């Protein structure tokens, strides 16, 4: 099976200003564009999105995605945090993980309750699109205040603030290149992959040629 040349790719231009701007929104230095594992994740997501689309969802994207984008735009979160939902749940409000995380933002029950969501035998607000999004925004904002950088907030969202704090203490730095280095393994593999997936999808959305090929205009309204 021969794939078209535009799909094969070989990473991206490390001097691409659009991509550098995306990294800055995450408080990530431009040098991270040279990270080989980010390149691999970017190419993998490009292939996956080409074959499957950005999201496998039954929701009404024309209404649903702009609603999420609007709530994020009203907060201090960068607009690219819409892609967190894609990584977490593929925009499936009914998604439930093997560990019990539920909803768009994949809140665990305990974390959801701490963020003010009702979870009991009668209601599970983790599956409420608006309430869960507002709770996720508040949680991510608090993590940003705690750790000082958006990429650290995202890592903590995935592995927990205690786990991230221990990783930073062990590494002796908050440098993303050090924390996500698989050879040093300061963070769990899932968390290292997680931050790269979110960043890779955000970078992919700046690729005009790819977006035009995908004909997925919804994401261009972010």
């Amino acid at each position: 099976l021969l794939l078209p040349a535009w799909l094969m790719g070989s990473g991206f231009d490390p001097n691409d200003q659009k991509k550098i701007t995306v990294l800055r929104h995450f408080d990530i230095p431009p040098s991270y564009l040279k990270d080989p594992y980010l390149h691999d994740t970017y190419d993998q997501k490009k292939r996956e999105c080409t074959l499957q689309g950005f999201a496998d969802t039954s929701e009404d994207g024309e209404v649903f995605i702009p609603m999420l984008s609007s709530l994020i735009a009203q907060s201090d979160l960068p607009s690219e945090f819409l892609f967190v939902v894609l990584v977490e749940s593929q925009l499936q409000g009914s998604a439930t993980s093997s560990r019990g995380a539920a909803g768009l933002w994949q809140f665990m029950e305990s974390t959801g309750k701490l963020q003010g969501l009702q979870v009991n035998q009668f209601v599970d607000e983790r599956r409420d699109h608006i309430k869960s999004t507002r709770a996720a925004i508040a949680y991510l904002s608090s993590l940003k205040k705690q750790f000082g950088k958006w990429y650290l907030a995202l890592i903590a969202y995935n592995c927990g603030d205690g786990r991230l704090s221990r990783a930073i203490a062990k590494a002796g730095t908050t440098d993303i290149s050090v924390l996500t280095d698989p050879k040093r393994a300061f963070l769990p593999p899932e968390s290292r992959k997680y931050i790269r997936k979110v960043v890779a999808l955000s970078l992919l959305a700046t690729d005009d040629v790819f977006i035009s090929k995908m004909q997925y205009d919804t994401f261009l309204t972010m």
Side-chain angles (χ1 to χ4, degrees):
L1 175 64
L2 295 178
L3 296 176
W6 65 270
L7 171 57
M8 295 297 288
S10 58
F12 33 75
D13 179 0
N15 297 311
D16 187 319
Q17 290 303 308
K18 288 184 179 180
K19 290 178 173 54
I20 289 174
T21 297
V22 167
L23 291 191
R24 285 175 177 158
H25 289 171
F26 286 102
D27 298 317
I28 297 174
S31 59
Y32 200 60
L33 283 177
K34 300 177 182 179
D35 178 74
Y37 303 101
L38 178 61
H39 278 248
D40 291 344
T41 304
Y42 179 90
D43 286 340
Q44 177 187 352
K45 288 300 174 185
K46 193 171 188 176
R47 290 191 294 271
E48 289 177 358
C49 290
T50 301
L51 297 173
Q52 305 169 12
F54 268 101
D56 179 15
T57 176
S58 60
E59 302 282 358
D60 184 354
E62 292 185 0
V63 175
F64 186 52
I65 294 172
M67 179 272 290
L68 288 175
S69 297
S70 177
L71 289 174
I72 291 172
Q74 296 171 42
S75 73
D76 61 336
L77 270 63
S79 62
E80 289 85 0
F81 272 51
L82 174 63
F83 292 102
V84 174
V85 186
L86 289 180
V87 173
E88 290 286 353
S89 65
Q90 279 289 290
L91 286 170
Q92 293 285 346
S94 61
T96 302
S97 76
S98 59
R99 297 168 55 194
L104 289 175
W105 296 86
Q106 290 292 282
F107 275 115
M108 296 295 290
E109 181 176 341
S110 58
T111 307
K113 288 180 176 178
L114 285 174
Q115 298 307 312
L117 297 176
Q118 292 189 56
V119 183
N120 53 51
Q121 60 180 325
F122 302 109
V123 65
D124 188 344
E125 291 184 340
R126 293 177 299 171
R127 302 189 187 283
D128 183 299
H129 301 336
I130 294 178
K131 289 182 179 180
S132 66
T133 298
R134 286 175 174 162
I137 288 171
Y139 185 34
L140 285 162
S141 293
S142 70
L143 290 171
K144 167 63 160 55
K145 291 178 182 178
Q146 180 178 350
F147 290 102
K149 297 181 185 297
W150 281 120
Y151 72 83
L152 293 174
L154 273 175
I155 294 172
Y157 187 88
N158 178 260
C159 69
D161 58 343
R163 182 66 183 81
L164 175 59
S165 294
R166 292 192 294 273
I168 291 172
K170 187 175 181 180
T173 181
T174 60
D175 188 317
I176 187 172
S177 295
V178 176
L179 290 175
T180 61
D181 185 345
K183 295 179 181 178
R184 301 188 184 186
F186 292 118
L187 291 169
E190 178 186 351
S191 299
R192 298 195 301 265
K193 293 177 182 177
Y194 178 83
I195 185 63
R196 287 190 174 100
K197 286 178 182 178
V198 175
V199 173
L201 283 172
S202 301
L203 294 173
L204 194 54
T206 70
D207 189 329
D208 295 336
V209 174
F210 176 74
I211 293 297
S212 65
K213 293 287 185 181
M214 284 286 294
Q215 296 181 343
Y216 204 89
D217 296 337
T218 307
F219 281 91
L220 299 182
T221 63
M222 286 177 54

